[in-house]
């Protein structure tokens, strides 16, 4: 009987060990399956995020290209406008020469140079308020020069554009 008990005990231990081993193998397989699922899930999430980032990057590129295009158009228009202003300032010089035939050339050149400096200061202004203020200075000076040329065409025929020169002396750039 002792031998049978021992045999039953050994058989039971072997059966328990096999059952335990089988449970451990199943648990290891389940762990491997979950690990593979997690890795697959992480890879899918990584790919999804990569596609999303690529899309966002493409959207940003298009937006930047559009904004760059608009900026280039604006700068081209600004250059054309500035060229037109410069041409107008050059015409002002010719009008001064015509209106004040007897004025020294240096006076006409100085007025032209001052007008160009005012234009440059207006054009290079950093903020809107400053630009508007400089634009007012420019317009005031041009108006004064124009009024001087109109007066020169009248009966008095002054020899110099006196108000423009006075404005330059009292409001240096």
């Amino acid at each position: 009987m002792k031998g049978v008990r021992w045999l039953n005990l050994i058989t039971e231990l072997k059966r328990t060990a096999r059952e335990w081993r089988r449970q451990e193998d199943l648990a290891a397989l389940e762990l491997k399956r979950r690990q593979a699922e997690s890795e697959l899930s992480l890879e899918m999430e990584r790919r999804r995020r990569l596609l999303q980032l690529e899309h966002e990057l493409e959207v940003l590129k298009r937006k930047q290209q559009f904004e760059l295009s608009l900026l280039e158009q604006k700068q081209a228009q600004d250059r054309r406008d500035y060229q037109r202003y410069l041409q107008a300032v050059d015409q002002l010089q010719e009008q001064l020469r015509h209106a004040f035939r007897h004025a020294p050339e240096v006076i006409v050149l100085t007025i032209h140079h001052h007008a160009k400096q005012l234009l440059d200061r207006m054009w290079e202004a950093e903020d809107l308020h400053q630009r508007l203020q400089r634009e007012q200075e420019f317009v005031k000076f041009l108006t004064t020069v124009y009024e001087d040329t109109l007066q020169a065409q009248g009966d008095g025929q002054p020899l110099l554009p006196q108000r423009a020169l006075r404005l330059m002396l009292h409001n240096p750039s």
Side-chain angles (χ1 to χ4, degrees):
M1 260 235 228
K2 270 187 173 188
V4 173
R5 269 205 229 156
W6 272 111
L7 190 56
N8 284 340
L9 181 62
I10 291 174
T11 306
E12 183 61 29
L13 283 175
K14 284 182 179 181
R15 189 186 62 72
T16 304
R18 274 194 310 270
E19 183 63 30
W20 179 82
R21 171 66 63 194
R22 192 176 70 75
Q23 290 295 328
E24 285 297 309
D25 288 345
L26 287 175
L29 282 174
E30 179 63 20
L31 182 63
K32 284 182 183 179
R33 185 190 64 77
R34 280 189 279 165
Q35 186 176 9
E37 281 180 0
S38 292
E39 288 173 3
L40 182 61
S41 176
L42 286 173
E43 180 63 21
M44 288 173 53
E45 178 62 23
R46 187 189 68 80
R47 287 182 184 179
R48 184 192 67 76
R49 184 69 179 135
L50 182 62
L51 287 174
Q52 181 183 5
L53 289 173
E54 287 173 351
H55 174 73
E56 290 173 6
L57 182 60
E58 187 61 32
V59 168
L60 284 173
K61 278 183 184 178
R62 286 185 195 148
K63 181 180 176 186
Q64 291 296 321
Q65 288 171 345
F66 177 73
E67 289 174 358
L68 178 62
S69 173
L70 288 179
L71 184 60
E72 287 171 346
Q73 290 173 8
K74 183 185 179 308
Q75 287 178 339
Q77 181 63 46
D78 283 351
R79 280 191 300 275
R80 287 190 298 269
D81 290 347
Y82 184 74
Q83 288 296 326
R84 289 174 51 205
Y85 269 102
L86 283 177
Q87 289 170 354
V89 169
D90 288 344
Q91 288 172 357
L92 174 72
Q93 182 180 14
E94 292 306 314
Q95 291 169 352
L96 284 168
R97 279 192 182 111
H98 180 71
F100 300 98
R101 289 183 194 97
H102 302 293
E105 179 72 10
V106 71
I107 297 292
V108 173
L109 290 174
T110 301
I111 291 172
H112 174 264
H113 180 71
H114 186 72
K116 187 179 175 312
Q117 281 182 326
L118 289 173
L119 173 63
D120 287 344
R121 287 180 62 214
M122 176 186 83
W123 215 261
E124 294 166 358
E126 293 294 321
D127 63 36
L128 181 61
H129 176 72
Q130 188 179 40
R131 184 178 175 112
L132 291 174
Q133 184 179 10
R134 294 201 173 149
E135 187 175 20
Q136 288 174 352
E137 293 170 10
F138 182 63
V139 168
K140 181 179 179 182
F141 183 73
L142 293 180
T143 303
T144 303
V145 172
Y146 179 71
E147 288 170 354
D148 280 347
T149 59
L150 284 179
Q151 184 182 5
Q153 293 170 359
D155 358 317
Q157 291 266 338
L159 295 176
L160 297 173
Q162 295 170 358
R163 290 187 297 197
L165 292 171
R166 195 175 19 241
L167 184 60
M168 284 174 54
L169 290 173
H170 290 94
N171 298 318
S173 296

